[in-house]
Structure formats: structure tokens, C-alpha cells
Amino acid sequence: WHSMWDQTPHDSSRNHYRMIHLNAILVDGVILNGPVADSEAGEKFVEEATKIIMEEVIKKAADVTEKVCEWQPPEKLKALLDLELKDTGENHQKLLQFCRDVIKFSVKTNHPRFFNQLYAGIDYYSLAARFITEALNPSVYTYEVSPVFLLVEDAVLKKMIEFIGWEEGDGIFNPGGSVSNMYAMNLARYKYCPDIKEQGLSGMPRLVVLTSDECHYSVKKAASFLGIGTQNVYFIKSDERGKMIPEELEKQVLRARKEGSAPFFVSATAGTTVLGAFDPLDEIADICERYGLWLHVDASWGGSALLSRKHCRLLHGIHRANSVAWNPHKMLMAGIQCCALLVKDSSGLLKRCYSANASYLFQQDKFYDVSYDTGDKSIQCSRRADAFKFWMTWKALGTTGLEERVNRALALARYLVDEIKKREGFQLLLEPEYANICFWYIPPSLRNMEEGHEYWEKLHHVAPAIKERMMKKGSIMLGYQPHRGKVNFFRQVIISPKVSREDMDFLLDEISSLGKDL
């Protein structure tokens, strides 16, 4: 034994292991005396890795002189990173270098000039909360293993329910708004035909889902996943601003009924992904009440406007919904993932729909109040303590601080819109009502060209070319897309309080600089 352990590269551990082996107990050739993990070395590694995170991520988060990304094509990046998993472990110095490389070649989503997605920035309180939950590694299903985080989730859900305008309700945090939308659709189906939980789809009527043609693609995926079928999703026309047209919704409800189908679920959107449109919830709610339909509001992106007294009007009528999806990891920067499904029903519908009554987790004869064992409301078993990071941010900033974040983001959006209107070569698609600013950059070579087929064909290639240049330079990240027959345009999204007026000016200057020769 001694000769084997003398070859161990970790000299500081040798005496520890020699003491264990003096009275070693073996089972199947494995020494059971222990522990065999070197806690001291592990703690040192965590300490050193944390220093790297602090220096290379957190302290550089607000530094606009740093690159947003260090672009490398996939094959080159594979060569730069040591991705191979080997039979023997690496030493800590190599692991720490890998930590540095991972940070170097990853996109800095906390950078003030990262505008690529519907999330951005760094919230220090949320980040600290994530460190805590990662270290504690809880699973939020029963009070006995996750007492604090279950109480935190309950407190956060109650506060979110209050802002929706319900007197009471239920809810649960999920791994993504897409999952929340699927939960809502399944919950509505269970309410419509409860027997489906045990008897399955056989003998069920042809169910129909109704949603806007501007909805998030997760609605279609949910219909596929749940066995409803994508052909049974009726997409309702939206107006030029991307808002569902209520009259068209009613027409499709009547069409479904005339076909002998069973429309049961309407998914409205509060803050569409591309245009940032808000469906007219009051008018949609009138139709849902008239025909006995479950109204779900996908407010994953726009829900945070509820915290702003100035902008909450965007979601007028949301209190009439049966369920709401709301992602605090977007505008409120709680950190991915932080996504809640909120349900108006308070009779236990959520639990009845999803419970499986696992006897090894949800025993009814525990020594405490088992109503706090809320995990059976989820399709998951293991579940992260996602509510805690939002709770920490809310505790730190207060409702007023969160409201200021929303107001500032939308004020910056207004500033950018005004600047776009002033500058030659920039053209808005439409006046935004939220933080999505959609626009074209028109290079000098196209400015005097007639707006015919050739013009739009050439303009279609401008945004992708500029995007490639900005990423290879690392100066900024901005999304683009074609949409509803319109050629590629930029979609600027403003979220982080680290973003300044100067960053808005830089954005337009940089696009002009990168695209003027196209």
C-alpha cells in the first residue's frame, strides 16, 4: 500500500492516506476508511477559482473597453480548448487555466453592450444568491430538505400574484418560460377534461389551442409535446404592430366549434419576442369568458412592466387571466433561469393535475405541516431554488428599485428611437411600446436607390454582414432577423442598468462604421 501511495502526486495527502491504510477495511477491493476526498485541496481550488471569477467576470462586467466576445469558429475553438475527458484527472493548475479559457472565449452577457437576447447584465445580489444555492445544492420539493427555499418561493409567488391583481392564487417556478407555457396548456386541458390524467388521449375530443401568429414558438412545441398536435394550434392574425386581433380570435373559436372540435385554451402574449407587442388582454378575456376558454398570458418578457406604475398599463386586463408565465430573469435580471407560472385557481388544481404522490418523498404522516411539501405541483422531481435569486434582488432593491430598472430601460429605448429618427441611414420598422427597438441600417450605396425588389434583396444582406463584423471585432452584440415578410433588420433590446446613453450613441456609431462600405 505504501509503495502505491508514495507515487501519488499530491504530497500533502500522503500522510493522510497512510493513516487510513494502517487499519484499512476493504470491500470489493475498495478501501472504506475515510474520507478519501482531500478537502483542503478542494477548498483551495474553489478559493482560487473564485478569485478568477471575481477578476475576469465580475470586476470587468461594466468595463466597456473589454470585448463582448472573443469570437472563434467552432473547429478552432475546439483546438484552443482541452475538451478531451481522460482516464486520469488533471492537476489544479491546468483546471484553473481551463477556467480562464472558458471565461475568455465565452460571451460576456453581463457586458453593457450585449444586446443580443431578452436577458442581459449582472445583478450582484442575484449572483450572490446563486453562489449560495450552488454551494448548498438544494432540491426544492420538500420542507425537510429545503425549508428556507420553499418559504422563499412561497413569499415571492404571493408577491407576484399580488402584482397581477389576483386576491389569491397558486404557482411554481419552472426551468424556463417555455415550460411554464406547457404547464399552463396541460393544466387547462386537465381542467377541461380531468379524466385525461389517468385515461390518456384515447376517447378525447379534438382539442384546439388558439394563439397569436406572433406567439412564442413554445406554444406550438407544447401542443406537440402534449399530444394535442401542431395542426390543432390555430394561429390568430395580428395587426401591423404584432397584437392579436380579438375579432379574428372569435372567428377561429367559432370555426373550431363548427368543425366539431373543442377549443379550450387561448394563449395571449404580453411582450412578443421580436416586436415587443402586447395583446389586448381585456378584449381577449371577454371572448374567453363568453366561450368558456382558459386564458393564459405569456408575459415571460413583458410581465416585469407590472412593477412600473407608469408602464403597467401595457398589461391592462391581465388580472382576468387564468394563468400567467413571467420570467424575472429577463427585464429584472434575476439570472437564468428564473421563471414562474402563476395560476389564479387556489383550490389545489395545480397539485391535482401534476401530483403522483410519491410515498418516499411526500409522506402524509411527517412531524410537520406537509402542506409545505410543494414539490408534487411540479413535473420535476429535483428542482432548483430559482426563486431565491429573485427574492435576494427584490430584498436589496425593493419594489421601488425594480420599478426604476423598468422605467430606465424604457426611457433609454425612447432615447434610442429619437436618435434613430435623427440619423441618416437608419429607419425604424415601427414605434416600440416596450424595450424592443427594431430598425434597418441603410448603407450609403442604397440610400438613393428605389425601394423595389433589388433594394430589399440587397438590404436583406446588410444586417448579417454587420453582425459578423461586430462579433469578430468583439465590440457589440446585437440580434437581427427577418420577420413577417420584412427583410433582415436589427432588434435592439435594452435591459441592464449598466447601459448608458453613451452606449446607445456608440451602438449607432458602430453600426455606421461597420456598414458604411457595404
Side-chain angles (χ1 to χ4, degrees), residues 482-502:
H483 190 65
R484 300 181 74 180
K486 292 182 170 63
V487 302
N488 281 321
F489 57 87
F490 289 113
R491 181 200 64 172
Q492 161 74 345
V493 179
I494 301 170
I495 295 173
S496 172
K498 297 286 185 185
V499 176
S500 66
R501 175 191 64 79
E502 290 82 1

Side-chain angles (χ1 to χ4, degrees), residues 423-427 440-451 455 459 508 511-513 515-518:
R423 296 202 185 204
E424 185 181 11
F426 289 88
Q427 181 180 332
W440 287 290
Y441 170 71
I442 303 161
S445 66
L446 297 180
R447 288 176 195 170
N448 296 318
M449 192 173 179
E450 185 180 345
E451 292 187 9
Y455 171 86
L459 186 58
L508 300 181
I511 289 173
S512 293
S513 174
K516 62 188 177 184
D517 66 328
L518 294 173

Side-chain angles (χ1 to χ4, degrees), residues 44-60:
K44 183 68 175 174
F45 175 75
V46 171
E47 186 179 339
E48 293 299 318
T50 302
K51 287 178 183 176
I52 294 171
I53 295 168
M54 194 70 201
E55 292 298 322
E56 298 300 319
V57 180
I58 298 171
K59 287 187 176 180
K60 292 181 178 179

